[in-house]
């Protein structure tokens, strides 16, 4: 499963490299970069809760397979459009929405399936390993994307992504899943309410969901707007864009490795919030820095901080919930985590023409510093949150 997911994610980043660059090239407007990110995440906000219910009552492996088929189809459609020189911006935006629709059902199924493949004592390491494959792909993907884009053209970036889905499809067919979905007559709406009630009643879950939303709202937009920074601040081309993406991915791998190394330590909740504090500071520093070597260091540190905080929070959530509720709870958590990305991207897309890219990104970084400071200082006084921020569970 790890190998299949890694190959598929590499393909996704190969396509994203070309897609972000081409959207900005076609429009010369950062708003469309934000709009593309927003439309890719919008279906997740609309359908993720329903996807979580299905993940608890249907075959999770089959649900994931259908999700991969949808995404593979979209990649090949883009390949044909670019090969025939018929592509328009609205084609890219529409297909981003369809891919997001597939992910809205596949995401909860994957999050619920992963813990059933390992024993509970190995869960934290499994989550860290999953983060490592994702961020290994963040390094390899843009590198391959840059090569394919330069040597063969954008068409091959989309074709390689389509082919890469075969790896995860084969791995899903091969693996054996322990979870058997229980038969139920409960309506989808009632099942959704049960999941939300579980989050509200289970101590520590609500603050983690709020933190997940704030993390992606203020901390995940940096890489999405790198083409603007590369063009307007450094006055460079795709090579610099590729370098910064690779450094961000390398930092993220280091962050995931640190989480794996300290899985037995207590105080993971506090460490997650401290990592968010560091992410806010480095984002603000990167925004105002105009010297490329220092920016390279800052984006590396930001990558480590964002992945450390995300992995720690996800481990805490997975350890708190029961397997029978895992699909629904993870759909809510994923919804909060994913919803922040498009909202942050849209806000930044509107702010950049008004304030400039440096001021806009710096304001997001400082906002994240404020959120982390609030949870460190104010929320520690709340008993239900205090128990979870200071301990593993």
């Amino acid at each position: 499963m790890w190998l299949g997911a890694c190959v598929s994610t590499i393909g996704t980043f190969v396509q994203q490299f070309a897609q972000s660059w081409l959207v900005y090239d076609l429009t010369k407007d950062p708003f469309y970069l934000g709009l593309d990110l927003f439309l890719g995440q919008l279906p997740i906000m609309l359908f993720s809760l329903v996807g979580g219910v299905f993940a608890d009552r249907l075959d999770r492996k089959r649900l994931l397979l259908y999700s991969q088929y949808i995404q593979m189809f979209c990649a090949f459609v883009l390949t044909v459009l670019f090969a025939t020189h018929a592509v328009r911006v609205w084609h890219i935006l529409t297909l981003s929405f369809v891919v997001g629709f597939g992910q809205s059902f596949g995401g909860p199924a994957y999050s619920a399936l992963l813990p059933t493949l390992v024993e509970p004592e190995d869960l934290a390491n499994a989550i860290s390993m999953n983060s490592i494959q994702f961020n290994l792909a963040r390094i390899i993907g843009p590198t391959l994307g840059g090569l394919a884009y330069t040597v063969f053209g954008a068409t091959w970036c989309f074709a390689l992504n389509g082919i890469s889905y075969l790896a995860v499809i084969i791995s899903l067919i091969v693996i054996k899943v322990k979870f058997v979905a229980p038969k139920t007559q409960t309506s989808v709406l009632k099942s959704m309410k049960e999941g939300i009630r579980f989050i509200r009643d289970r101590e520590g879950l609500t603050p983690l969901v709020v933190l997940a939303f704030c993390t992606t709202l203020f901390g995940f937009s940096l890489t999405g707007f790198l083409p603007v920074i590369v063009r307007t601040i450094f006055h460079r081309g795709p090579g610099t864009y590729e370098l910064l993406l690779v450094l961000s991915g390398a930092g993220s791998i280091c962050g995931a490795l640190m989480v794996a190394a300290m899985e037995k330590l207590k105080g993971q909740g506090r460490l997650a919030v401290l990592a968010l504090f560091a992410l806010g500071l480095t984002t603000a520093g990167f925004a105002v820095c105009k010297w490329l070597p220092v920016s390279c260091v800052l984006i590396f540190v930001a990558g480590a901080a964002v992945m450390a905080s995300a992995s720690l929070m996800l481990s805490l959530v997975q350890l708190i919930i029961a397997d029978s509720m895992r699909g629904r709870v993870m759909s809510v958590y994923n919804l909060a985590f994913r919803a922040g990305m498009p909202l942050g991207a849209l806000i930044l897309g509107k702010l950049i023409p008004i304030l400039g890219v440096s001021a806009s990104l710096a304001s997001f970084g400082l906002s994240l510093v404020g959120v982390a400071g609030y949870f460190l200082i104010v929320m520690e006084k709340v008993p239900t949150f205090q128990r979870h921020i200071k301990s593993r569970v």
Side-chain angles (χ1 to χ4, degrees):
M1 187 68 184
W2 190 93
L3 289 170
C6 187
V7 172
S8 178
T9 311
I10 288 171
T12 299
F13 280 108
V14 168
Q15 174 167 318
Q16 283 186 357
F17 176 90
Q19 187 165 318
S20 294
W21 194 258
L22 287 166
V23 166
Y24 189 63
D25 254 4
L26 285 170
T27 63
K28 300 294 188 295
D29 188 346
F31 173 74
Y32 283 95
L33 272 176
L35 183 60
D36 187 39
L37 292 170
F38 175 77
L39 289 173
Q41 301 298 322
L42 180 60
I44 295 169
M45 292 188 284
L46 295 176
F47 307 116
S48 186
L49 297 181
V50 178
V53 174
F54 285 177
D56 281 338
R57 61 170 62 184
L58 297 178
D59 185 334
R60 291 169 179 170
K61 189 165 84 169
R62 185 175 298 176
L63 200 59
L64 255 176
L65 278 169
Y66 287 134
S67 170
Q68 302 308 307
Y69 296 148
I70 291 171
Q71 294 175 68
M72 182 170 64
F73 172 77
C74 291
F76 283 130
V77 169
L78 269 178
T79 303
V80 173
L81 288 171
F82 270 90
T84 57
H85 305 287
V87 70
R88 300 291 182 270
V89 173
W90 71 267
H91 293 145
I92 299 174
L93 298 177
T94 302
L95 289 168
S96 291
F97 182 88
V98 177
V99 168
F101 177 79
Q103 291 176 347
S104 67
F105 290 87
Y110 183 79
S111 296
L113 182 66
L114 185 64
T116 65
L117 301 178
V118 296
E119 298 301 323
E121 60 268 22
D122 297 320
L123 181 58
N125 258 334
I127 291 170
S128 296
M129 286 293 292
N130 187 56
S131 299
I132 289 169
Q133 70 85 8
F134 178 82
N135 289 290
L136 188 63
R138 285 183 65 194
I139 294 176
I140 299 172
T143 304
L144 288 179
L147 274 173
Y149 186 88
T150 304
V151 178
F152 303 110
T155 302
W156 272 100
C157 293
F158 301 109
L160 287 172
N161 184 35
I163 294 167
S164 74
Y165 282 106
L166 294 174
V168 73
I169 288 169
I170 292 169
S171 71
L172 283 168
I173 293 170
V174 169
I175 64 168
K176 295 179 180 179
V177 180
K178 300 175 185 176
F179 176 78
V180 178
K183 293 183 179 179
T184 178
Q185 299 298 321
T186 308
S187 68
V188 172
L189 184 60
K190 187 175 181 181
S191 293
M192 288 168 56
K193 289 179 179 178
E194 287 174 355
I196 293 170
R197 190 181 307 116
F198 181 87
I199 292 171
R200 189 176 62 244
D201 296 340
R202 191 79 169 200
E203 288 185 346
L205 269 180
T206 301
L208 285 168
V209 170
V210 173
L211 270 175
F213 175 75
C214 292
T215 300
T216 52
L217 177 68
F218 298 119
F220 267 50
S221 296
L222 176 60
T223 52
F225 285 86
L226 278 180
V228 185
I229 295 168
V230 170
R231 278 281 178 85
T232 60
I233 302 297
F234 298 118
H235 307 290
R236 304 285 184 94
T240 302
Y241 174 46
E242 177 187 337
L243 171 66
L244 292 173
L245 281 177
V246 167
L247 286 170
S248 176
S252 296
I253 289 178
C254 290
L257 286 171
M258 286 189 291
V259 171
M262 64 185 183
E263 62 160 332
K264 303 298 183 184
L265 295 179
K266 294 183 178 181
Q268 291 190 8
R270 180 187 290 275
L271 288 173
V273 181
L274 286 172
L276 288 183
F277 192 88
L279 174 61
L281 287 179
T282 50
T283 299
F286 182 89
V288 298
C289 182
K290 292 180 171 56
W291 190 29
L292 186 58
V294 175
S295 295
C296 289
V297 174
L298 289 172
I299 202 167
F300 178 88
V301 176
V306 74
M307 194 45 57
S309 61
S311 297
L312 287 166
M313 288 189 292
L314 182 57
S315 297
L316 289 168
V317 171
Q318 291 277 25
L319 287 164
I320 290 171
I321 57 181
D323 195 52
S324 61
M325 300 293 295
R326 199 174 297 278
R328 279 165 285 181
V329 172
M330 290 311 302
S331 71
V332 176
Y333 181 84
N334 287 338
L335 174 61
F337 192 81
R338 302 290 289 269
M341 299 182 203
L343 291 176
L346 272 184
I347 294 169
L348 268 180
K350 282 295 186 184
L351 283 179
I352 288 173
I354 301 170
L355 302 178
V357 65
S358 295
S360 301
L361 272 175
S363 67
F364 266 46
L366 294 176
S367 297
L368 191 57
V369 169
V371 170
Y374 172 80
F375 274 89
L376 282 172
I377 299 169
V378 179
M379 290 303 290
E380 276 206 328
K381 299 175 183 177
V382 180
T384 55
F385 184 70
Q386 191 175 17
R387 283 194 289 274
H388 292 281
I389 196 172
K390 290 186 176 179
S391 62
R392 176 171 177 150
V393 186

